[in-house]
């Protein structure tokens, strides 16, 4: 080390940088995928879906099926309907773009700490079935496609050929449930579910169980609700079972989940 000082320094610096990068990578991985989200430090929230196929499944709850689950006040203390993933075509000033979107209820926006930098969030009226489509833009889309227009709220944006009202802009720090550029009100999902894009939309919910209700008991109760549904029901036709997945585990492949 003393005879080859320059090489020794290079080796030590390289080793130190490698260790720091490894630690940083692990920290980011843990923060993004393993640690509970800030709004759920104790891991009390579950994603209500069906079977254990999670979002990759082509299936979804219909409005009628979801309403039946939401009525189970003996199981849930909180239920926040949403759909996590939706690929949409948006006509912006830069042309027709394909963007990642999510349909969120007003309650899940509040739960996840959304704070618009312009405009306002969705209201309870926007959660009602067949509500007019309203849109929240990401700060990135607002900057890149609309030149940070301070008067963007109230203007229209065309999604799948439909003119939709822009009600606000969310900051770059808001990334729930993923790195979306567009958020639409949950009540407007009904129209999409009847279209050719229906199979790509997963109607689900972020839920919290009532005190004293275990995950196993909750699933058993939901199965009873599923079995009581009158046809037609996709869940019955395909024998799909209601399933509760921890919020963080919902995004992880089975082989990466903790036992």
């Amino acid at each position: 080390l003393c005879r080859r000082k320059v090489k020794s320094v290079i080796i030590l610096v390289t080793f130190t940088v490698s260790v720091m990068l490894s630690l940083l990578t692990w920290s980011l991985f843990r923060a993004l995928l393993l640690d509970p989200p800030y709004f759920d430090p104790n891991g009390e929230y579950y994603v209500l879906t069906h079977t254990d196929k999670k979002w990759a499944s082509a299936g979804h709850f219909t409005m009628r099926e979801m309403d039946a689950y939401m009525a189970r006040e003996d199981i849930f203390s909180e239920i926040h309907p949403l759909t996590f993933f939706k690929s949409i075509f948006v006509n912006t000033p830069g042309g027709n773009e394909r963007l990642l979107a999510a349909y969120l209820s007003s309650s899940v926006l509040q739960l996840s700490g959304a704070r618009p930098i312009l405009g306002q969030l969705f209201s309870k009226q926007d959660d009602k079935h067949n509500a007019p489509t309203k849109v929240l833009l990401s700060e990135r889309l607002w900057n890149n496609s609309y030149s940070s227009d301070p008067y963007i709220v109230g203007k229209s944006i065309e999604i799948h050929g439909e003119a939709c009202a822009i009600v606000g802009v969310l900051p770059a720090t808001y990334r729930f449930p993923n790195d979306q550029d567009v958020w639409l009100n949950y009540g407007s999902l009904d129209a999409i579910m009847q279209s050719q894009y229906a199979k790509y939309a997963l109607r689900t919910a972020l839920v919290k169980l009532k005190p004293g209700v275990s995950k196993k008991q909750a699933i058993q109760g939901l199965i009873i609700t599923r079995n009581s549904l009158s046809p037609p029901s996709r869940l019955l036709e395909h024998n799909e079972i209601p399933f509760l997945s921890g919020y963080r585990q919902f995004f992880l492949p089975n082989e990466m989940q903790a036992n």
Side-chain angles (χ1 to χ4, degrees):
L1 291 176
C2 293
R3 280 183 272 177
R4 296 182 176 87
K5 294 182 180 180
V6 175
K7 289 185 178 180
S8 297
V9 170
I10 293 174
I11 291 173
L12 288 173
V13 169
T14 302
F15 177 76
T16 302
V17 170
S18 299
V19 171
M20 291 177 65
L21 287 175
S22 297
L23 291 173
L24 177 61
T25 301
W26 168 248
S27 297
L28 288 173
F29 175 80
R30 182 178 180 85
L32 293 175
L33 294 178
L34 299 183
D35 284 348
Y38 64 88
F39 61 84
D40 184 24
N42 299 319
E44 297 178 295
Y45 286 92
Y46 292 94
V47 177
L48 171 61
T49 178
H50 52 80
T51 66
D52 59 350
K53 298 177 182 178
K54 307 184 183 65
W55 57 268
S57 171
H60 56 265
F61 293 135
T62 64
M63 177 185 69
R64 185 168 60 91
E65 292 161 351
M66 179 56 72
D67 284 349
Y69 291 136
M70 290 179 68
R72 291 301 304 265
E73 295 181 356
D74 58 321
I75 295 177
F76 303 118
S77 62
E78 295 180 32
I79 184 162
H80 309 278
L82 75 157
T83 181
F84 282 95
F85 304 94
K86 183 69 178 72
S87 179
I88 62 173
F89 289 95
V90 180
N91 190 14
T92 68
N96 200 32
E97 301 181 52
R98 185 170 185 169
L99 301 174
L100 182 62
Y103 285 79
L104 302 186
S105 59
S106 58
S107 64
V108 83
L109 280 169
Q110 296 289 343
L111 175 69
S112 57
R115 298 290 184 271
I117 55 178
L118 276 181
Q120 60 187 18
L121 300 177
F122 303 140
S123 68
K124 290 183 178 181
Q125 293 295 322
D126 300 322
D127 298 337
K128 294 183 177 180
H129 301 315
N130 293 313
T133 304
K134 294 185 180 179
V135 182
L136 289 163
L137 303 181
S138 70
E139 186 175 6
R140 175 175 55 199
L141 182 63
W142 178 53
N143 289 335
N144 295 341
S145 297
Y146 294 92
S147 303
S148 305
D149 180 4
Y151 305 106
I152 192 70
V153 175
K155 294 184 178 180
S156 294
I157 183 172
E158 191 175 287
I159 299 176
H160 292 310
E162 176 190 356
C164 309
I166 299 171
V167 298
V169 177
L170 292 176
T173 52
Y174 184 77
R175 300 180 63 189
F176 179 89
N178 298 282
D179 195 17
Q180 269 94 1
D181 275 309
V182 175
W183 295 265
L184 301 103
N185 57 310
Y186 181 77
S188 66
L189 180 60
D190 299 321
I192 292 294
M193 295 294 278
Q194 303 302 321
S195 75
Q196 60 179 310
Y197 305 101
K199 63 181 180 179
Y200 299 113
L202 174 61
R203 186 192 298 271
T204 184
L206 198 59
V207 301
K208 187 175 182 179
L209 303 182
K210 293 196 75 166
V213 177
S214 68
K215 177 180 175 181
K216 182 178 180 180
Q217 291 171 330
I219 291 176
Q220 289 173 341
L222 293 172
I223 289 174
I224 293 174
T225 299
R226 184 207 73 152
N227 293 342
S228 68
L229 293 170
S230 58
S233 168
R234 178 186 171 85
L235 297 180
L236 292 173
E237 291 171 1
H238 296 269
N239 195 30
E240 293 177 349
I241 307 299
F243 187 79
L244 294 172
S245 174
Y247 176 72
R248 272 301 187 225
Q249 289 188 329
F250 179 73
F251 294 93
L252 296 176
N254 290 335
E255 61 271 15
M256 294 178 64
Q257 295 188 15
N259 294 323

